[in-house]
Amino acid sequence: MPDLAYLNGEIMPIDQARVPIEDRGYQFADGVYEYIASYEGRLFRLEAHLDRLEHGLRELGYAPIPRPHLRSAIAELFQRAGYARAGIYIQITRGVAPRNHAFATTLTPQIVMTVREIKAIPADLRDNGIQTITVRDLRWSRCDIKTTQLLANCLAKQKALASGYYDAIFVSDQDIVREGTSSNVFAVSNGRLTTHPLTPHILPGITRMAILEICGEIGLEFSESFFTRENLYAADEVFLSGTVTEVLPVIGVDDRIIANGGVGPITRQLYAALGAKALDRPDVR
Ligand SMILES: Cc1ncc(COP(=O)(O)O)c(C=O)c1O
């Protein structure tokens, strides 16, 4: 099965898709994106992803794109690829125009998508957890918008890998724990989960939302509140959440081992519950 691209209404093999060099996404990172996963041939939380995408389009003043149009384009690409465990990347840029910081409000947004099979995170990392480092959050102050401007995230991830860690966690100048390079962060202490509140400094993760829902359903206490790097070091359990990450145990932060260095029971429970939710409550076939 070839990996496919969707380019403004046409579907083609990925290596045949071309965009003009004066696309503002290319020159200014003037674009928003989403990444949606399927489980057993069904997309998880499609509408929540579309809500977040539309939030970005609105906040950046793009011409609106009717949701049925996006939905049917996604469905067609997804069905044509036929992967049970697909990852659909959707990118919308403001449009194509001669390079200029200022932009015309009449530009036509460019819609690009790709579909590939998701490669599973190695079982060893899921079973035994990952090591992370913290890095200063150098990003802009609208991280609630999922823009394609991911340079700080890329550099942080690269720094982690180059120093022998799996990922990096952004912390503010005041040492507030924000989020991972492509995930949200949860700390568990005394049976209670804490994660950063929804502010413009983090992405409102769809998986984060699903986890909080699960907590409500199974009676786990949680709080959306600020916590520091020291709180993270001292937690009983730490995990990352994200569309591909799902619930990924963190057993080390900087040079600290979290608790006894093992994967905690709440992390395991939430990973299992999220998998069950993804299979139980599909958005679309
Ligand atoms: C910076 C950042 N935070 C959090 C997330 C998790 O979001 P979601 O659960 O919707 O995948 C992502 C996902 O790409 C991300 O890039």
Side-chain angles (χ1 to χ4, degrees):
M1 190 72 61
D3 293 333
L4 296 174
Y6 168 101
L7 180 58
N8 296 320
E10 270 188 71
I11 294 181
M12 62 198 79
I14 283 187
D15 59 3
Q16 286 175 23
R18 299 277 180 275
V19 291
I21 64 165
E22 289 196 308
D23 186 302
R24 288 182 60 91
Y26 179 58
Q27 294 188 326
F28 294 107
D30 188 351
V32 291
Y33 77 103
E34 274 302 324
Y35 188 82
I36 309 177
S38 71
Y39 288 79
E40 297 189 358
R42 293 162 175 220
L43 293 173
F44 184 56
R45 305 259 154 141
L46 172 65
E47 298 304 317
H49 282 280
L50 293 178
D51 286 345
R52 188 169 65 186
L53 188 63
E54 286 174 359
H55 166 75
L57 296 175
R58 239 184 349 262
E59 290 297 300
L60 298 177
Y62 287 21
I65 300 170
R67 191 176 284 216
H69 176 73
L70 285 175
R71 249 193 230 122
S72 66
I74 293 167
E76 195 191 343
L77 185 69
F78 178 48
Q79 275 155 20
R80 286 267 290 271
Y83 293 129
R85 182 83 172 118
I88 300 189
Y89 175 78
I90 306 161
Q91 174 176 307
I92 301 178
T93 60
R94 192 182 301 275
V96 179
R99 187 180 183 283
N100 189 347
H101 286 60
F103 48 83
T105 52
T106 51
L107 293 181
T108 306
Q110 302 290 295
I111 307 176
V112 169
M113 303 185 200
T114 59
V115 58
R116 290 191 157 99
E117 194 161 31
I118 293 180
K119 290 193 184 66
I121 291 187
D124 169 50
L125 298 179
R126 290 226 171 271
D127 293 345
N128 301 317
I130 59 160
Q131 304 273 355
T132 61
I133 50 169
T134 56
V135 295
R136 282 271 161 254
D137 193 353
L138 300 176
R139 301 171 304 162
W140 76 330
S141 44
R142 286 308 306 271
C143 295
D144 57 310
I145 305 173
K146 198 165 168 64
T147 77
T148 56
Q149 210 296 68
L150 291 172
L151 190 52
N153 308 54
C154 295
L155 293 175
K157 173 78 179 184
Q158 195 67 20
K159 180 176 176 185
L161 292 178
S163 358
Y165 297 84
Y166 180 82
D167 209 346
I169 293 173
F170 289 117
V171 296
S172 75
D173 290 343
Q174 287 78 38
D175 265 359
I176 300 293
V177 174
R178 300 271 203 231
E179 60 183 339
T181 60
S182 59
S183 57
N184 294 109
V185 179
F186 286 78
V188 185
S189 294
N190 302 319
R192 184 185 172 87
L193 284 84
T194 309
T195 193
H196 193 287
L198 293 183
T199 72
H201 293 299
I202 66 159
L203 187 77
I206 308 299
T207 320
R208 175 190 178 284
M209 188 161 54
I211 289 167
L212 296 182
E213 244 175 66
I214 291 169
C215 287
E217 289 160 9
I218 64 180
L220 275 177
E221 275 185 52
F222 66 87
S223 136
E224 296 173 81
S225 51
F226 298 113
F227 60 103
T228 65
R229 179 169 27 182
E230 287 298 328
N231 298 145
L232 199 63
Y233 292 158
D236 300 327
E237 302 180 31
V238 174
F239 64 85
L240 305 181
S241 74
T243 293
V244 177
T245 308
E246 300 177 300
V247 170
L248 189 62
V250 174
I251 53 157
V253 181
D254 299 327
D255 55 350
R256 313 300 177 93
I257 304 290
I258 302 302
N260 62 2
V263 175
I266 291 182
T267 304
R268 286 192 197 284
Q269 185 183 10
L270 289 171
Y271 175 62
L274 181 70
K277 196 178 253 307
L279 294 176
D280 276 2
R281 297 178 48 190
D283 275 312
V284 295
R285 197 171 270 278

